[in-house]
Amino acid sequence: MMVAGIGSRKGVTVEDVLAAIETALETHGLTMTALSALATAPLKQDEKAIFTAGHQLNLPVIVADEAAIDAVSSATLSHSVLSQDLAGTPSVSEASALAVAGRGARLLGARTVLGPVTCAIAISGDAP
């Protein structure tokens, strides 16, 4: 399973979200078809653009639960003081991607920041 974790400022557009996902995937030599799901944190559950992006990509958007995010936060590669203060994790995009990708998941790299959106790609522990 490959998951794109999404973090954002409030009020982003669906175009912002899609551009960040595409940029993150291109960084790793991947295309949209590689993704199994989008993920985000409870703090972002009302951010319409993230869910609209999932709908446009025909991918589920999974809101990772707080306990799962807490469990993987130490494995994030990036650290944002703002994210830590607001969401309780050093990187919403990285932690949510890891939490949804499941046990043994790993990040393909640090989050990609594109304007008001961050995107991190995680792969499940059972993937090659």
Side-chain angles (χ1 to χ4, degrees), residues 100-113:
V100 169
R103 180 181 226 166
R106 63 181 173 84
L107 292 166
L108 297 185
R111 69 183 182 200
T112 297
V113 180

Side-chain angles (χ1 to χ4, degrees), residues 15-96:
E15 291 81 12
D16 292 333
V17 174
L18 291 170
I21 296 167
E22 189 165 323
T23 300
L25 287 167
E26 285 175 358
T27 298
H28 303 294
L30 300 167
T31 63
M32 290 284 188
T33 58
L35 291 177
S36 306
L38 303 183
T40 196
L43 176 71
K44 295 290 154 192
Q45 65 188 0
D46 295 325
E47 199 62 55
K48 291 187 89 155
I50 296 171
F51 292 87
T52 301
H55 179 72
Q56 287 185 11
L57 296 171
N58 199 28
L59 292 171
V61 178
I62 302 166
V63 178
D65 67 51
E66 304 252 356
I69 288 175
D70 288 345
V72 299
S73 284
S74 64
T76 62
L77 302 174
S78 304
H79 185 88
S80 162
V81 173
L82 183 61
S83 177
Q84 187 69 58
D85 290 347
L86 295 176
T89 183
S91 172
V92 166
S93 56
E94 292 177 13
S96 59

